[in-house]
């Protein structure tokens, strides 16, 4: 069974059976988000001044995407912002979270998907 184009949010995916489920879903093509790992690490390292956050990219226009089976223009037409993301969109989110300005931000997910999952 292919899960291409599907998104799976796996809670408990950092270890044990949850991790095994996340691996199977990813192997079958799903984009897998393991949220509890971010949260657990954020809690574990917060008292050391280390922040841990999660930046799952959405549909990012790259040469690899263009070479694949996805009709990019059709996919873009379904997105609220009517464009695919650029690698820089995800990179800027990561840069912010790594900056001093985000020194009090931890355990968060900053999705760079152009609102794709809002519609």
């Amino acid at each position: 069974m292919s899960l291409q184009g599907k998104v799976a949010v796996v809670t408990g995916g950092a270890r044990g059976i949850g991790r095994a489920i996340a691996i199977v879903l990813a192997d079958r093509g799903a984009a897998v988000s393991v949220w509890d790992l971010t949260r657990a690490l954020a809690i574990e390292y917060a008292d050391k001044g280390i922040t841990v956050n999660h930046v799952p990219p959405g549909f990012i226009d790259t040469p690899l995407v263009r070479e694949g089976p996805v009709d990019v223009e059709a996919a873009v037409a379904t997105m609220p912002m009517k464009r695919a993301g650029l690698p820089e969109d995800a990179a800027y989110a990561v840069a912010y979270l790594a900056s001093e300005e985000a020194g009090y931000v931890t355990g968060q997910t900053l999705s760079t998907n152009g609102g794709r999952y809002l519609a």
Side-chain angles (χ1 to χ4, degrees):
M1 166 180 37
S2 173
L3 296 176
Q4 196 69 26
K6 302 295 182 183
V7 174
V9 176
V10 180
T11 59
R15 61 194 170 287
I17 191 69
R19 185 171 189 275
I21 290 168
I23 290 169
V24 168
L25 292 171
D27 284 346
R28 294 190 179 170
V32 177
S33 178
V34 179
W35 289 27
D36 65 340
L37 180 60
T38 301
R39 185 173 181 266
L41 291 173
I43 291 167
E44 184 173 337
Y45 291 103
D47 65 344
K48 296 170 181 64
I50 298 171
T51 61
V52 179
N53 296 289
H54 178 215
V55 181
F59 189 81
I60 304 296
D61 192 0
T62 66
L64 186 60
V65 167
R66 292 276 174 184
E67 293 170 10
V70 175
D71 180 342
V72 174
E73 285 70 30
V76 165
T78 68
M79 296 178 199
M81 295 188 77
K82 303 299 183 207
R83 72 173 183 89
L86 301 173
E88 294 83 3
D89 293 322
Y92 292 142
V94 172
Y96 165 69
L97 291 171
S99 73
E100 290 296 320
E101 289 80 6
Y104 198 60
V105 178
T106 194
Q108 301 303 305
T109 297
L110 179 53
S111 297
T112 55
N113 61 30
R116 184 173 187 187
Y117 302 111
L118 298 175

